[in-house]
Amino acid sequence: MTPNELSEALSAALAAAVADGTLALAADEVPRTVHVERPRQREHGDWATNVALQLAKKAGTTPRAVAEDLAGRLGAVPGIAAVDVAGPGFLNITLDAAAAGELARTVVEQGAAYGRNDAEAGTRINLEFVSANPTGPIHIGGVRWAAVGDSLARILQASGAEVTREYYFNDHGAQIDRFARSLLARSKGEPAPEDGYGGQYIEDIAEAVVAQALAAGEPDPRTLPDAEAQEVFRARGVDRMFGEIKSALHDFGVDFDVYFHEDHLHESGAVDRAVARLREAGHVFEADGATWLRTTDFGDDKDRVVVKSDGHAAYIAGDIAYYLDKRERGFDDVIIMLGADHHGYVGRMMAICAAFGDTPGKNLQILIGQMVNLLKDGQPVRMSKRAGTVVTLEDLVDAVGVDAARYSLARSSVDSSIDLDLDLLTKASNENPVYYVQYAHSRTVQVDANAEAREVRRGDAFDPATLTHETEAALVGRLTEFPRIVAQAAELREPHRVARYLEALAGDYHKWYQECRVTPYQDEEVTDTHRTRLWLNDATRQVLANGLGLLGVNAPERM
């Protein structure tokens, strides 16, 4: 019996109580789905619900009276072994072994579809993440967003959402000019400007720009007047840097559906149109020669200049136009992932959302990620051989590999800073969380191979009533939770819930492996218990693979 089937049984019991007058509720007040969850303590049963506490007041009775009536009705449902009323009216439900173990076959038969749900069905989501300036390699903070953002996209899609991964290409503004001046200076053997960029990558790109121009039969850009030379280095340097960023992300398993250029907002007139729309709504005013957006009407700490007194658009003007552009492209929810240094950005963006008549926190959602610290030999790692001042995506992948990097960055809540121990992440031991989970998957594959060698095959032999060992009950219960975990991770925008679930599942599997044999001892005869355990082994393998896939991490067959 799955949680959904149990929820349906509870709803049916409530509907029956209303129909025979036991429960004084209108028919439309009976919940269509009843939330059930795993009790923290195994001895409290397989599932628990507080639905009696939720409905009692409305029905004019006590929670315990509702719970006791439901307990009597549920006791007659096939597959339910016992129903206990606890405390003021909690229901603790125990399934019989056959009903619980049936899930193993369900998982195997559903395969890659197990865990998918429709919690976000019908929702179009624009998910913007990374969006690093094309002035240098992606640093470790951006790498965290690459891992978390891509995992979140996968989880949202598994929950039925239509997701567009978007990268905002900042090719407009002072940072690009500083980048071009840095390339030009390095190409001439001069030090970088005081406000410019350093690192070996600047020299590499500068040399590549010169070589590309000469190969195309163009003048050596170093011989051009500074203004012309800077434009060459700007155009070709940004293009080359962004190409490197896209290549590094692709190798990390992250590809975007849309690369949106900031310049487009200004060149297309999108900024002017967005400001005009807010002006029509009465949220724009003029003061001190500048154009302002009255964001204080929507909770911001101060009003914001949109067009400066010199006629140039302020940075927030691009934000206004970009948000409106996403909504006009038909996205229901706009999710933006930002670094810890953007906390002050949230209030003004939510005010922009509200000014357009949208709902902050729904139509616009902003996730703030905290810092990532790398440790090697117990000491902080702060410098990159190539970038000079920051640790980059390539540095992390070179140190631990893609799988360990993605998993370790996605397994913690973005609300907390994390310390990544590079030595730990390269260990083939249970201390290393990604190894622990991947090893569980490879162990399920080895069990399959051993079973085949002893002619233990699933076939049609499946007797879930034989799954009576306490480790089997724990493992089946954990497998049952996977769809709920995926839906919850999507709803809360928290991919780390999937990773932590996988670690718990791996732990349950390793314990089961030590206690219950799939293959018989020596000359012992193969029984349906062995075959049924093979179903459970294969169900675990499927869920581990499905979960790792949601995090963009491989499920290896050998370790």
Side-chain angles (χ1 to χ4, degrees):
M1 176 176 285
T2 66
N4 284 342
E5 290 169 341
L6 181 56
S7 174
E8 290 171 1
L10 281 159
S11 292
L14 286 168
V18 169
D20 64 20
T22 304
L23 193 61
L25 290 176
D28 60 2
E29 292 179 311
V30 176
R32 298 176 63 182
T33 59
V34 176
H35 177 69
V36 295
E37 60 184 12
R38 299 285 291 179
R40 292 185 179 181
Q41 295 176 280
R42 181 70 184 85
E43 59 269 23
H44 289 171
D46 296 308
W47 297 100
T49 180
N50 66 350
V51 67
L53 282 77
Q54 296 173 359
L55 297 178
K57 185 176 181 180
K58 191 180 295 184
T61 186
T62 65
R64 193 166 183 91
V66 176
E68 288 174 348
D69 179 73
L70 286 175
R73 296 173 190 273
L74 290 173
V77 174
I80 294 180
V83 184
D84 298 315
V85 178
F90 293 98
L91 281 171
N92 292 329
I93 302 165
T94 301
L95 306 180
D96 64 39
E102 186 67 36
L103 183 83
R105 180 159 58 186
T106 298
V107 173
V108 173
E109 290 176 346
Q110 289 188 8
Y114 183 71
R116 292 184 168 272
N117 61 86
D118 59 2
E120 300 282 339
T123 305
R124 293 193 64 204
I125 297 176
N126 182 286
L127 180 60
E128 181 201 337
F129 59 105
V130 182
S131 295
N133 288 337
T135 55
I138 298 176
H139 62 75
I140 191 66
V143 183
R144 184 177 195 180
W145 277 139
V148 174
D150 187 64
S151 297
L152 178 56
R154 293 165 185 253
I155 290 167
L156 289 168
Q157 288 171 322
S159 297
E162 180 184 337
V163 180
T164 294
R165 295 167 173 84
E166 186 148 319
Y167 189 113
Y168 187 52
F169 186 11
N170 295 284
D171 53 356
H172 182 91
Q175 79 277 4
I176 298 297
D177 294 334
R178 293 198 302 271
F179 178 62
R181 292 199 305 271
S182 301
L183 293 174
L184 176 58
R186 186 59 66 89
S187 74
K188 294 180 177 181
E190 300 171 356
E194 187 174 337
D195 61 349
Y197 297 91
Q200 180 61 40
Y201 78 96
I202 291 292
E203 184 171 337
D204 295 342
I205 293 175
E207 291 176 355
V209 169
V210 172
Q212 186 179 14
L214 294 177
E218 299 172 2
D220 186 333
R222 294 170 295 186
T223 66
L224 298 173
D226 279 358
E228 293 181 37
Q230 186 172 317
E231 183 54 33
V232 172
F233 280 103
R234 179 189 187 282
R236 285 197 162 144
V238 167
D239 185 63
R240 190 171 190 88
M241 187 71 256
F242 195 52
E244 291 188 13
I245 289 172
K246 289 169 73 172
S247 177
L249 287 168
H250 175 76
D251 292 343
F252 197 56
V254 179
D255 293 293
F256 289 86
D257 304 300
V258 173
Y259 293 94
F260 192 99
H261 290 253
E262 183 182 5
D263 256 350
H264 173 74
L265 296 171
H266 298 270
E267 294 171 358
S268 67
V271 169
D272 293 337
R273 289 195 300 274
V275 173
R277 180 161 166 178
L278 291 174
R279 189 188 299 276
E280 290 172 7
H283 305 314
V284 170
F285 65 97
E286 311 295 328
D288 303 323
T291 300
W292 298 68
L293 177 61
R294 193 174 282 106
T295 53
T296 53
D297 285 353
F298 305 101
D300 197 9
D301 59 346
K302 62 181 180 180
D303 293 330
R304 305 287 173 173
V305 174
V306 178
V307 180
K308 295 180 283 189
S309 57
D310 62 5
H312 290 96
Y315 189 81
I316 195 175
D319 295 332
I320 293 169
Y322 190 32
Y323 174 73
L324 180 60
D325 178 88
K326 289 177 178 178
R327 292 286 282 135
E328 288 183 336
R329 278 187 272 152
F331 294 106
D332 303 301
D333 297 345
V334 172
I335 303 176
I336 306 174
M337 297 181 161
L338 300 172
D341 57 341
H342 285 74
H343 254 295
Y345 193 73
V346 176
R348 74 191 70 169
M349 285 302 300
M350 291 303 177
I352 289 169
C353 169
F356 280 117
D358 289 343
T359 304
K362 172 60 175 73
N363 300 116
L364 176 62
Q365 302 165 38
I366 297 179
L367 307 181
I368 299 291
Q370 297 303 315
M371 300 295 291
V372 179
N373 303 304
L374 296 187
L375 303 176
K376 175 72 175 172
D377 299 324
Q379 299 298 316
V381 179
R382 304 188 188 283
M383 302 289 284
S384 166
K385 292 180 180 177
R386 184 162 184 256
T389 56
V390 294
V391 179
T392 68
L393 168 57
E394 292 91 336
D395 296 327
L396 181 58
V397 170
D398 287 346
V400 303
V402 171
D403 282 348
R406 284 191 64 130
Y407 188 93
S408 59
L409 288 167
R411 72 182 292 266
S412 297
S413 169
V414 297
D415 293 335
S416 60
S417 59
I418 52 176
D419 294 328
L420 296 187
D421 186 333
L422 300 181
D423 299 311
L424 174 64
L425 292 177
T426 55
K427 279 186 179 180
S429 75
N430 289 343
E431 300 172 82
N432 178 354
V434 66
Y435 176 86
Y436 187 64
V437 174
Q438 288 184 316
Y439 180 61
H441 182 271
S442 68
R443 176 172 266 181
T444 65
V445 176
Q446 186 59 49
V447 166
D448 265 351
N450 293 340
E452 179 63 29
R454 293 297 308 274
E455 298 185 346
V456 179
R457 302 183 180 93
R458 291 199 312 260
D460 294 326
F462 180 69
D463 183 3
T466 64
L467 301 177
T468 57
H469 195 276
E470 61 180 359
T471 61
E472 291 172 325
L475 184 54
V476 169
R478 190 76 66 184
L479 294 173
T480 305
E481 291 183 325
F482 184 58
R484 179 182 63 83
I485 293 294
V486 176
Q488 190 178 63
E491 177 188 4
L492 300 176
R493 306 339 190 195
E494 293 182 343
H496 73 273
R497 291 177 179 271
V498 172
R500 298 304 175 129
Y501 165 83
L502 292 176
E503 291 166 33
L505 174 59
D508 288 334
Y509 177 77
H510 290 311
K511 290 176 185 175
W512 174 75
Y513 175 87
Q514 297 297 330
E515 297 289 338
C516 299
R517 292 185 62 85
V518 172
T519 56
Y521 282 109
Q522 299 177 353
D523 296 330
E524 186 182 21
E525 183 181 350
V526 175
T527 68
D528 281 353
T529 298
H530 298 114
R531 298 185 185 97
T532 302
R533 285 176 175 168
L534 184 58
W535 280 89
L536 182 55
N537 177 80
D538 292 356
T540 305
R541 183 183 67 211
Q542 186 66 64
V543 174
L544 287 167
N546 291 357
L548 286 168
L550 292 177
L551 301 177
V553 176
N554 287 306
E557 297 191 354
R558 299 179 66 88
M559 293 287 286

